[in-house]
Amino acid sequence: ATQATWTAVDEYYQDLYVKEDAILDAASETAAAAGLPPISVSPTQGKFLNLLCKIVQARRVLEIGTLAGYSTIWLARALPDDQASKVVTLENNQVHARVAQRNIDHAGLSDRVDIKVGPALDILPTIAKEEGHKPFDVIFIDADKVNNKHYYEWALTLARPGSVIVMDNVVRDGKVLETDPTKQDPSTQGIREFNDAVARDPRVSATALQTVGVKGYDGFALLLVN
Ligand code: SAM
C-alpha cells in the first residue's frame, strides 16, 4: 500500500469512529491560520490518546509539547468533570502557547488545562518541587526529540507505578534504524538515546508500535511504569 491508501483508510476510520467536531476543526484551522506547522497528532491518534486516558481513568495528565493544543483538547476531554482533573502542558514557543490558550478557551477546557510556557527542561523541575504535587497518570511526550531521554527521566520522576508514558514519533519513516551516529539527525539521536535508556531500565515495561496514516509512516512507544 502507498501513502494514498494509508490516508484513505485513515480518513475512512476517522469518518466512521472519530467524527471530528467543530471545536477540533476550529483548533486546527486557527493553528494553520496562525502559521503553525501541521505537526499535531491526527484525529485517529487524538482519539487513541483520549481512550487511553479513559482506560486508565486518568485524572492528571502531563503533556510535553502543546503546539496549538489539538492533542491537549483530546487529552483534557478524557478526564472526569471534577476539581482533581488537570492537564499540565508545556510549550516553549509563546506564539504556539497563545494559539493553544485560545483553542482551549474555545473548547471550554480552560479550568482543566494549565499551559506552562518555557523550555520544558526548565519547567519540569519546578513541577517536581511544587509542594504536595501529585503524580501524573498519563504522560505524553511530543516536543523536541533531542531531549527525549531527559523528558523520559522527568516523566519517571513525576509518575507512579501504573502510570503510562507515550513517546511520539519513534519511527520517523524508518530513520530510527540508522546506527551510524554521524549519519543520524539530532532527532534520531534523541530517539535512540531514549530507546537505549528504556531498554535497560527495570522501572518500565515498554513496547513500540509502527503507524501509517495521514501523517505518513511513524510510530509511538508505550511504557508502563512498574
Ligand atoms: N502535541 C501537539 C499535538 O499533537 O497537537 C504537537 C506538539 S509539536 C509536535 C511539538 C511542540 O513542542 C512545538 O509546539 C514546539 O514549539 C514545542 N517545543 C519544542 N521544544 C520545546 C521545549 N524545549 N520545551 C517545550 N516545548 C518545546
Side-chain angles (χ1 to χ4, degrees):
T2 61
Q3 178 62 53
T5 310
W6 301 341
T7 300
V9 172
D10 218 0
E11 285 169 351
Y12 165 72
Y13 278 114
Q14 186 185 323
D15 290 346
L16 205 59
Y17 289 167
V18 182
K19 302 182 181 57
E20 203 174 7
D21 50 75
I23 284 171
L24 285 165
D25 287 347
S28 301
E29 281 158 23
T30 314
L36 271 53
I39 52 173
S40 70
V41 297
S42 68
T44 52
Q45 291 167 343
K47 179 91 180 260
F48 173 84
L49 292 171
N50 176 276
L51 292 175
L52 184 68
C53 289
K54 288 183 176 171
I55 290 164
V56 304
Q57 299 183 311
R59 276 215 147 71
R60 290 177 50 78
V61 176
L62 173 66
E63 176 178 63
I64 308 179
T66 317
L67 192 64
Y70 182 85
S71 53
T72 319
I73 293 171
W74 275 115
L75 293 164
R77 281 178 171 177
L79 309 187
D81 191 12
D82 67 30
Q83 293 272 314
S85 293
K86 190 66 85 185
V87 178
V88 177
T89 183
L90 314 185
E91 176 54 57
N92 191 25
N93 183 306
Q94 302 216 6
V95 175
H96 296 186
R98 263 201 301 277
V99 173
Q101 189 64 62
R102 238 186 299 145
N103 284 335
I104 283 151
D105 293 346
H106 180 243
L109 294 165
S110 325
D111 291 351
R112 217 182 278 181
V113 176
D114 185 4
I115 303 176
K116 293 188 185 289
V117 186
L121 285 178
D122 291 350
I123 302 169
L124 288 160
T126 69
I127 297 175
K129 275 197 216 111
E130 272 167 27
E131 208 171 290
H133 81 271
K134 296 203 176 65
F136 292 98
D137 308 308
V138 172
I139 299 164
F140 177 49
I141 306 174
D142 186 21
D144 49 333
K145 313 303 171 191
V146 284
N147 283 317
N148 274 354
K149 195 176 83 174
H150 305 297
Y151 295 150
Y152 168 61
E153 278 301 330
W154 278 110
L156 284 174
T157 301
L158 297 169
R160 56 164 172 81
S163 293
V164 172
I165 300 170
V166 179
M167 176 68 80
D168 203 8
N169 309 119
V170 299
V171 175
R172 305 181 71 250
D173 255 317
K175 289 196 191 79
V176 69
L177 288 180
E178 180 58 65
T179 50
D180 180 350
T182 64
K183 289 189 188 147
Q184 288 166 354
D185 59 46
S187 295
T188 302
Q189 276 172 22
I191 289 157
R192 288 189 66 108
E193 282 170 9
F194 161 76
N195 286 341
D196 292 342
V198 170
R200 56 167 188 265
D201 196 337
R203 295 172 294 177
V204 293
S205 311
T207 190
L209 290 180
Q210 303 180 66
T211 56
V212 293
V214 291
K215 313 270 306 175
Y217 170 42
D218 210 328
F220 60 89
L222 181 72
L223 281 57
L224 176 66
V225 180
N226 295 323

